[in-house]
Amino acid sequence: MLIAVTSKTGTEVDQHFGHAEKFRIFKYRKGDPVQVSEVEVEKYCSFDPDHPFRHAQLNGIVEALKDCKAVVTAMIGELPKQEMEKAGFKVISAEGPLEPALKLAHDTVCDGHCKGRPEKCEHTV
């Protein structure tokens, strides 16, 4: 399963969704996360105090992450979260080391026999 993460460091979930200019894409299979790519996006947040909804930027992010099942981010506003969920992504808010956050995302998405036991996971996407 592919999971997108907002991470500056590559080892931690440490970035707000709206501030991300790239997402790290991880393949999570059998409990073994491997970064397979990075995708660059136009930053969603405009730092406008009125927080207008930015359709074009969100649509670009959705397109860039279309192969992912989940997005893990340190923080996300309610409206972008709802729109990402409408687009079919599970949105997980977490901070800290990548591995537990990726496991949480996997377990949230997975509805098969491996739920809670990623070492048994056979997902390829």
Side-chain angles (χ1 to χ4, degrees), residues 12-70:
E12 304 264 327
V13 180
D14 57 5
Q15 192 171 34
H16 187 292
F17 177 87
H19 298 176
E21 293 178 334
K22 69 179 174 183
F23 285 80
R24 296 174 190 268
I25 309 300
F26 287 84
K27 185 179 202 177
Y28 193 86
R29 186 165 184 241
K30 295 191 177 186
D32 182 27
V34 176
Q35 184 174 331
V36 294
S37 66
E38 288 183 0
V39 294
E40 292 187 11
V41 298
E42 184 176 347
K43 184 169 42 174
Y44 177 76
C45 184
S46 66
F47 298 102
D48 183 328
D50 294 329
H51 297 309
F53 183 64
R54 301 182 75 207
H55 294 279
Q57 288 77 9
L58 192 74
N59 289 342
I61 293 169
V62 167
E63 179 62 25
L65 305 181
K66 67 183 176 192
D67 294 330
C68 297
K69 299 288 185 191

Side-chain angles (χ1 to χ4, degrees), residues 1 28 30-31 90 92 102-123:
M1 150 183 328
Y28 193 86
K30 295 191 177 186
K90 291 287 186 181
I92 310 299
L102 289 166
K103 181 183 183 315
L104 175 62
H106 168 271
D107 292 351
T108 300
V109 171
C110 183
D111 59 0
H113 67 280
C114 63
K115 188 164 187 158
R117 297 184 345 205
E119 69 279 0
K120 301 288 185 187
C121 184
E122 295 296 330
H123 296 292

